């Protein structure tokens, strides 16, 4: 334990460790491990998210007046019931997280053509029934590639085939869509709809919803082609530009709400970072520690960790990462490879530590994530707590 070193002001701002820990629990474990070595330091915990899994938790932690609300049992992505939840913020703002009710972990088995976002629409319906005047929807972690059709159908949009029968759920069924009827679609709340996305993907094409994210949801090459054709048909019916950045988010759900409800797509990581007070906290910090399940090049493509690191870099704050896994080729076990490489290293952390390395294997780290987060944080405090503290009046 180090007690004679000059105290540091440390901001601990991780994303969730998907499948293991919420961002709130990860921040608590890192703080415990750090303080075991450096009890003299002042720590500020700010759980982060980027619109995907953990968005509700991060916003609840950032807004003391937030109230959890239940939507009751809603339709999960594979048709089985699941519990729906949303947050009520001051000003009658509702926050809904797609991953919470229509996320990939809720699937009993992968179904790239049949999974749907019906549950998302049902949670939104509950929020509007409760009097929400504006809506924030966190996109990310989707199990489906249905263009948001399931959610919009739950909100009253009628999508029919050539025989004037409702099309089945799931992205694959959209290939048979012949017409849509907006007359029964519930209108958006008067305060508007904001979509928080961690990607800038368009709906269609080689960088679109089906091609890039379909395989992550179990789609074969043939199924990716089927989903691409189905989303193309969906775009023809709704009539909005499928090339809008972010419209491919959450299996094209961004596109569905953009086209049907005139929703606005915003970078989720930036929005939540501002809401949580991260910029102000970093203005007064000596060190930022962030983290997530897997830290690699994709962390800098709109994700919460990349946003936090880039912001700290702009402010001249030293940074480090504690992750379940650290991607090979870019980061060493301690110092970042190429950290003196000029612009190529912009936003890169001064060090990155892996729970898998500390625990001895990914399986060991996954089995006891709290234990290994604490242990890795104590190692970081012992070996990497060397930034020069800023003057206390800054």
């Amino acid at each position: 334990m180090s007690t004679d070193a000059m105290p540091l002001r440390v901001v601990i701002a991780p994303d969730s460790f998907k499948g293991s820990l919420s961002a709130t629990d990860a921040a608590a474990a890192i703080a415990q491990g750090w303080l075991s070595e450096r009890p003299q330091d002042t720590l500020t915990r700010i759980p982060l998210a980027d619109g995907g899994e953990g968005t509700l938790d991060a916003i609840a932690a950032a807004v003391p007046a937030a109230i959890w609300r239940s939507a009751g049992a809603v339709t999960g992505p594979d048709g089985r019931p699941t519990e729906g939840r949303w947050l009520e913020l001051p000003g009658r703002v509702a926050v809904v997280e797609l991953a919470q009710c229509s996320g990939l972990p809720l699937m009993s088995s992968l179904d790239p053509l049949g999974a749907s976002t019906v549950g998302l629409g049902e949670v939104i319906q509950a929020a509007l029934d409760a009097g929400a005047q504006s809506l924030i929807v966190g996109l990310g972690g989707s199990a489906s590639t249905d263009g948001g059709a399931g959610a919009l159908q739950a909100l009253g949009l009628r999508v029919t085939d050539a025989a004037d029968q409702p099309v089945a759920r799931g992205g694959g069924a959209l290939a048979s869509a012949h017409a849509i009827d907006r007359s029964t679609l519930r209108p958006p709340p008067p305060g508007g709809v904001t979509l928080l996305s961690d990607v800038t993907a368009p709906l269609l094409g080689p960088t679109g919803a089906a091609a890039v994210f379909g395989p992550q949801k179990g789609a074969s090459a043939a199924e990716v082609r089927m989903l691409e054709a189905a989303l193309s048909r969906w775009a023809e019916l709704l009539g909005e530009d499928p090339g809008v950045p972010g419209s491919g988010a959450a299996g094209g759900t961004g596109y569905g709400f953009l086209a049907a409800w005139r929703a606005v797509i915003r970078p989720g990581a930036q929005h939540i970072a501002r809401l949580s007070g991260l910029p102000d906290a970093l203005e007064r910090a000596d060190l930022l520690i962030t983290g997530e399940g897997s830290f690699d090049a994709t962390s800098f493509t709109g994700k919460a960790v990349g946003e936090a690191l880039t912001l700290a870099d702009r402010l001249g704050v030293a940074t480090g990462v504690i992750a379940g896994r650290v991607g090979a080729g870019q980061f060493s076990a301690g110092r970042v490879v190429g950290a003196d490489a000029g612009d190529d290293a912009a936003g890169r952390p001064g060090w990155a530590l892996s729970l898998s390395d500390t625990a001895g294997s990914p399986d060991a780290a996954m089995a006891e994530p709290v234990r290994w987060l604490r242990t890795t944080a104590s190692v970081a405090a012992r070996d990497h707590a060397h930034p020069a503290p800023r003057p206390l009046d800054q």
Side-chain angles (χ1 to χ4, degrees):
M1 179 186 297
S2 173
T3 58
D4 55 352
M6 186 174 294
L8 298 173
R9 295 163 293 182
V10 183
V11 171
I12 298 175
D15 195 354
S16 63
F17 282 57
K18 291 180 174 55
S20 298
L21 291 174
S22 69
T24 300
D25 290 341
I30 293 170
Q32 290 165 3
W34 188 271
L35 289 174
S36 70
E37 284 288 330
R38 294 183 57 87
Q40 73 275 28
D41 289 349
T42 300
L43 307 188
T44 300
R45 287 182 278 171
I46 302 178
L48 295 179
D50 50 28
E53 179 184 332
T55 292
L56 291 180
D57 289 333
I59 292 178
V63 183
I67 301 171
W68 285 98
R69 300 294 189 192
S70 173
V74 300
T75 305
D78 59 4
R80 295 178 302 143
T82 190
E83 182 69 18
R85 298 193 303 162
W86 57 282
L87 274 180
E88 181 181 346
L89 305 186
R92 302 173 81 178
V93 177
V95 186
V96 176
E97 178 188 311
L98 181 147
Q100 187 276 322
C101 51
S102 301
L104 192 60
L106 298 174
M107 299 288 290
S108 58
S109 61
L110 297 178
D111 185 5
L113 299 181
S116 82
T117 54
V118 171
L120 173 65
E122 292 170 344
V123 175
I124 292 173
Q125 186 91 284
L128 296 180
D129 287 346
Q133 295 297 293
S134 60
L135 182 67
I136 298 171
V137 182
L139 301 180
S142 172
S144 64
T145 311
D146 74 347
L152 292 168
Q153 286 169 298
L155 290 163
L157 183 70
R158 192 162 184 264
V159 186
T160 54
D161 60 20
D164 199 35
Q165 295 300 307
V167 300
R169 294 173 181 170
L174 290 176
S176 66
H178 179 74
I180 60 172
D181 180 358
R182 302 174 189 248
S183 66
T184 54
L185 175 64
R186 185 165 188 165
V193 180
T194 300
L195 307 175
L196 304 183
S197 173
D198 64 352
V199 301
T200 58
L203 180 68
L204 304 173
T207 60
V212 175
F213 305 108
Q216 299 173 12
K217 303 166 189 180
S220 66
E223 289 170 329
V224 166
R225 290 191 292 272
M226 292 172 65
L227 289 168
E228 179 76 7
L231 291 176
S232 296
R233 179 59 182 154
W234 185 230
E236 290 174 5
L237 291 173
L238 284 177
E240 189 63 54
D241 178 9
V244 174
S247 61
T253 300
Y255 177 84
F257 279 89
L258 170 71
W261 261 12
R262 294 293 179 257
V264 177
I265 301 174
R266 295 282 184 256
Q270 293 179 16
H271 186 96
I272 295 172
R274 287 194 300 269
L275 184 64
S276 69
L278 181 63
D280 290 341
L282 289 177
E283 289 277 6
R284 302 182 296 273
D286 302 306
L287 173 66
L288 165 71
I289 300 174
T290 186
E292 60 186 332
S294 181
F295 178 62
D296 53 33
T298 67
S299 299
F300 295 89
T301 59
K303 306 295 186 182
V305 167
E307 174 67 19
L309 290 169
T310 301
L311 179 59
D313 184 64
R314 292 194 198 111
L315 296 171
V317 178
T319 57
V321 168
I322 298 175
R325 170 188 169 275
V326 174
Q330 296 188 52
F331 310 99
S332 68
R335 293 288 166 181
V336 174
V337 175
D340 58 353
D343 290 343
D344 289 341
R348 303 302 196 200
W351 51 265
L353 298 178
S354 162
L355 272 62
S356 296
D357 289 341
T358 307
S361 72
D363 287 343
M366 286 286 288
E368 297 181 277
V370 171
R371 172 191 173 187
W372 294 112
L373 262 178
R374 289 173 180 160
T375 301
T376 307
S378 68
V379 171
R382 185 189 68 219
D383 296 345
H384 295 293
H386 307 307
R390 292 178 172 186
L392 291 177
D393 60 352
Q394 281 194 6

